[in-house]
Amino acid sequence: MAAAVEAAGSLRLCGLMAVAPLDEDPNVAFERLSDIRTHFTAHYPHATQLSAGMSSDLEAAITHGATHVRVGSAVLGPRPLNR
């Protein structure tokens, strides 16, 4: 997908975005993501941003290199249940 974005010309590849699986320790998931990022930036050195982590696991994400986190529920509260 990254190669397709690069080839599009009108798009700019900035980095990676991921969330940790709900059934896994976030530290394990973000450590794996850090390894993926190392290989990714070897091919796309300008794509340095890493959007990972949410309100419940942002510390783990930052520990493993996240440059952006999503903290919506920490600011706005939990999402309402769909009815």
Side-chain angles (χ1 to χ4, degrees), residues 13-16 37 40-41 44-51 65 67-68:
L13 183 64
C14 295
L16 297 171
R37 182 185 190 200
F40 184 80
T41 55
Y44 305 98
H46 59 282
T48 58
Q49 296 179 15
L50 179 60
S51 178
T67 60
H68 297 73

Side-chain angles (χ1 to χ4, degrees):
M1 181 178 277
V5 170
E6 290 278 286
S10 60
L11 300 174
R12 186 172 55 129
L13 183 64
C14 295
L16 297 171
M17 178 180 157
V19 296
L22 293 175
D23 61 347
E24 185 176 348
D25 177 351
N27 278 300
V28 173
F30 293 135
E31 184 174 355
R32 190 169 56 247
L33 177 60
S34 179
D35 292 340
I36 292 168
R37 182 185 190 200
T38 298
H39 295 291
F40 184 80
T41 55
H43 291 77
Y44 305 98
H46 59 282
T48 58
Q49 296 179 15
L50 179 60
S51 178
M54 297 174 21
S55 297
S56 63
D57 58 13
L58 67 97
E59 292 89 354
I62 291 168
T63 297
H64 294 286
T67 60
H68 297 73
V69 294
R70 295 171 299 283
V71 294
S73 63
V75 174
L76 302 172
R79 292 182 182 186
L81 296 175
N82 290 335
R83 297 179 191 207

